């Protein structure tokens, strides 16, 4: 049974902060380029890294004895000890001010901005918003808000008899396969021990999903890279996104864009064409 959720206690974490520093290495850039279906090349000092390389930097490191059953650190450190067992990224917003480059020493300053409890179709939801500022020797490179959602361990709702809406049409589209190796590589790059991304027995038998779950940040990274390619390699000034439904292993998925000139609507979609994450980029 899930422990009682005490929102007053959890909100005591609002305002807590931490700082972490790491270096953008050529090896990291090569690995991330490969995982994002880019030309790997031979990155050299001063070369721009993929736009979301900061998600691979200075990730928390805990001994095995301090990990919980889902592979995450036991709760109650920087993040509040939300007792709901399922955890995922719900979305967020990123401002790109300047690129991080190979050789940069990068510092991430983080702060718990908000903790809210809501009720949804799957039960109680707890949203934790975290604000980050990522700097390089040249100043602030990225400002970001991440929204993390915690959910109850309820069984997945049965499929609705109502037919899904027609898949949205896209001006630009590319397709890939959510191969388990791809998921493993991204988990390794981000030092993410969350078992839903690589442990099929755990994700199907404990959390009740039909297969390994594609990382939300990886979907967002692919969307951002497509947006930049369509604008001559320039990252958007601001990108807002939210997850809609899980994307699972072993299926084809697509990255899609519709460009109106002033902004760009972007989304990932499953094999049936139904969006799994949506975002809006503005320049």
């Amino acid at each position: 049974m899930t422990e009682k959720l005490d929102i007053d206690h959890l909100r005591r974490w609002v305002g807590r902060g931490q700082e972490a520093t790491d270096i953008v290495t050529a090896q990291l850039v090569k690995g991330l380029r490969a995982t994002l279906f880019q030309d790997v090349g031979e990155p050299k000092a001063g070369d721009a890294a993929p736009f979301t390389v900061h998600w691979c930097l200075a990730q928390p490191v805990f001994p095995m004895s301090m990990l919980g059953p889902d592979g995450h650190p036991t709760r109650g450190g920087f993040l509040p000890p939300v007792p709901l067992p399922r955890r995922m990224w719900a979305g967020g917003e990123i401002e790109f001010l300047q690129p991080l480059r190979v050789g940069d020493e990068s510092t991430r300053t983080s702060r718990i901005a908000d903790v809210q409890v809501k009720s949804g179709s799957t039960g109680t939801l707890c949203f934790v918003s975290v604000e980050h500022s990522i700097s390089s020797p040249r100043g602030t490179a990225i400002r970001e808000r991440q929204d993390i959602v915690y959910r109850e361990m309820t069984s997945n709702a049965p499929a609705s008899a109502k037919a899904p809406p027609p898949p949205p049409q896209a001006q630009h589209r590319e397709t890939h396969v959510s191969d388990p190796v791809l998921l493993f590589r991204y988990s390794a790059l981000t030092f993410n021990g969350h078992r839903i991304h690589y442990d099929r027995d755990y994700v199907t038998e404990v959390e009740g999903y039909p297969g390994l779950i594609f990382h939300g940040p990886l979907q967002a990274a692919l969307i951002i890279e497509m947006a930049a390619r369509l604008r001559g390699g320039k990252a958007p000034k601001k990108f807002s996104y939210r997850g809609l439904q899980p994307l699972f292993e072993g299926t084809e998925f697509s990255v899609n864009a519709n460009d109106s000139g002033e902004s760009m609507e972007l989304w990932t979609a499953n094999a049936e064409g139904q969006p799994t994450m949506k975002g809006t980029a503005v320049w």
Side-chain angles (χ1 to χ4, degrees), residues 20 27 36 42 46 70 83 104 131-132 136 142 149 153 211 224-225 253 265 270 282:
Q27 185 68 16
L36 297 179
E42 290 294 339
D70 62 356
D104 281 349
E131 294 175 345
H132 302 285
S136 76
I142 296 167
V149 62
M153 193 74 79
I224 291 166
E225 294 291 342
F253 71 97
E265 298 301 316
N270 59 25
V282 295

Side-chain angles (χ1 to χ4, degrees), residues 22-24 28 53-59 100 106 108 189:
D22 203 348
I23 295 175
V24 182
L28 172 61
V53 70
H54 63 289
W55 288 338
C56 304
L57 296 171
Q59 293 303 307
L100 292 172
S106 171
R108 181 183 66 246
L189 284 167

Side-chain angles (χ1 to χ4, degrees), residues 186-261:
Y186 196 73
S187 288
L189 284 167
T190 55
F191 203 68
N192 183 354
H194 200 181
R195 293 170 67 179
I196 64 172
H197 303 304
Y198 62 86
D199 187 336
R200 191 175 290 108
D201 288 345
Y202 171 84
V203 76
T204 57
E205 297 175 11
V206 177
E207 298 215 11
Y209 291 105
L212 300 178
I213 298 175
F214 202 99
H215 309 69
L218 179 52
Q219 293 183 64
L222 291 167
I223 287 173
I224 291 166
E225 294 291 342
M226 169 179 266
R229 285 198 304 275
L230 294 173
R231 291 297 182 94
K234 185 178 180 180
K237 289 182 180 178
K238 184 179 291 187
F239 175 66
S240 304
Y241 66 101
R242 63 187 179 93
L244 302 177
Q245 61 176 313
L247 176 62
F248 297 103
E249 64 166 314
T251 62
E252 183 179 88
F253 71 97
S254 59
V255 187
N256 307 269
N258 285 330
D259 192 348
S260 67

Side-chain angles (χ1 to χ4, degrees), residues 9 25 44 49 56-57 59 63 80 102 105 110 114 131-133 138-139 168 183 198 202 222 241 258 278:
H9 175 65
T25 67
K44 297 177 176 58
C56 304
L57 296 171
Q59 293 303 307
V102 175
E105 182 176 85
S110 306
D114 199 10
E131 294 175 345
H132 302 285
S133 177
R138 296 172 299 282
L183 305 188
Y198 62 86
Y202 171 84
L222 291 167
Y241 66 101
N258 285 330
K278 280 188 175 181

Side-chain angles (χ1 to χ4, degrees), residues 111-184:
R111 172 183 173 273
I112 304 296
D114 199 10
V115 181
Q116 295 287 341
V117 174
K118 300 180 181 180
S119 294
S121 59
T122 57
T124 301
L125 305 171
C126 184
F127 291 88
V128 177
S129 293
V130 187
E131 294 175 345
H132 302 285
S133 177
I134 295 92
S135 65
S136 76
R138 296 172 299 282
T140 302
I142 296 167
R143 286 193 289 263
E144 177 181 13
R145 187 197 78 247
Q146 293 175 1
D147 299 325
I148 304 167
V149 62
Y150 297 82
R151 298 172 47 209
E152 295 178 272
M153 193 74 79
T154 55
S155 59
N156 290 332
S160 172
K162 184 179 178 181
Q169 297 298 307
Q171 295 171 341
H172 308 277
R173 183 173 184 264
E174 63 182 37
T175 60
H176 304 286
V177 175
S178 59
D179 186 281
V181 177
L182 175 67
L183 305 188
F184 172 81

